[in-house]
Amino acid sequence: MIELTAKSPFDGMLPLTVGALSLSEVDTGAMTALSARKGQGEALASAFKQAHGVAWPRAGRATGREGCRALWFGHVHVLLMGPPAAPALAEWAALVDQSDAWAVARLEGAGVRDVLARLTPLDLREGQFKRGRTARSEVAHMPASITRIGAQSYQVMVFRAMAGTLVEEVQTAMQGVAARAGG
Amino acid sequence: MRISCPICGERDRREFYYQGAAVALDRPAPDAAAQAWDDYLHNRDNPAGPVREMWHHEAGCGAWLVVTRDTVTHEMLASDLASRVQEAGS
């Protein structure tokens, strides 16, 4: 019988450091997508808060913290990262386990916004994309989720199958930004 | 070119997928005349000026939008959620 070994999405590829910038893998725990059943949005939001102690995020927002984070994840979608979603929430929502579907990385360091600006069409300026904001957009033409988790720190997610492409694209952008900075 | 999404705000055009004229929201009754189905499926106007189109915010929130665009100036005049437009129309 073949012995299978579980590997993380960025196994052997991360962490990566270029000058002051770094890209590292984040093990977020379970990931569950929640979509409210028709007309059940408010009931779901309060049940969610009660079950997980984290506010239901409005469009474009992330709530919670490392270990238990809720991301607005698209039109009528929220992604819970950390604990498995409480099964009781199925009364108001469709729950879909996406734990192995996404590669999650943290990009941080001085100049991090310049790196992302090379990869995504999002408006990342200070007034537009503060801490706690999240967006679905593109990163190097891949569907992605981008969340600001600190002053110089962003969480970037792409489909797991695209993990290698993300590393290559971000590395190239980091090298370009570091070279311009004289690092 | 930038398109205003009612959920995400103004975003780059590359996040969107173009579907076509917004006739998709006016599906004829199953027993409608052949002409009505012909118009729904195949016949389109090609005006120089404002047009109503369906766009999908594919790489963003995933919502379908009805966008009003001027084909002469490429100006984006208005946008709304297709679900809202359909509810208002029915």
Side-chain angles (χ1 to χ4, degrees), chain B residues 19-76:
Chain B
Q19 194 262 347
V23 292
L25 295 175
D26 305 316
R27 188 183 172 88
D31 56 355
Q35 186 59 47
W37 278 101
D38 188 31
D39 286 344
Y40 173 72
L41 288 172
H42 304 297
N43 300 328
R44 297 287 182 269
D45 293 330
N46 185 21
V51 288
R52 286 175 82 237
E53 299 168 328
M54 303 281 294
W55 288 77
H56 185 211
H57 197 185
E58 189 181 28
C61 63
W64 278 96
L65 313 180
V66 175
V67 174
T68 309
R69 179 175 69 94
D70 192 316
T71 55
V72 176
T73 62
H74 295 304
E75 188 183 358
M76 295 293 172

Side-chain angles (χ1 to χ4, degrees), chain A residues 59 72 74-75 120-123 135-138 141 144, chain B residues 2 7-8 11-12 14-15 59-63 81 83:
Chain A
W72 173 85
H75 186 36
T120 174
L122 268 185
D123 186 349
R136 294 297 302 271
S137 185
E138 290 188 343
H141 308 289
Chain B
R2 293 178 71 81
I7 295 172
C8 304
R11 292 292 187 88
D12 194 273
R14 84 189 85 155
E15 290 184 5
C61 63
L81 293 176
S83 56

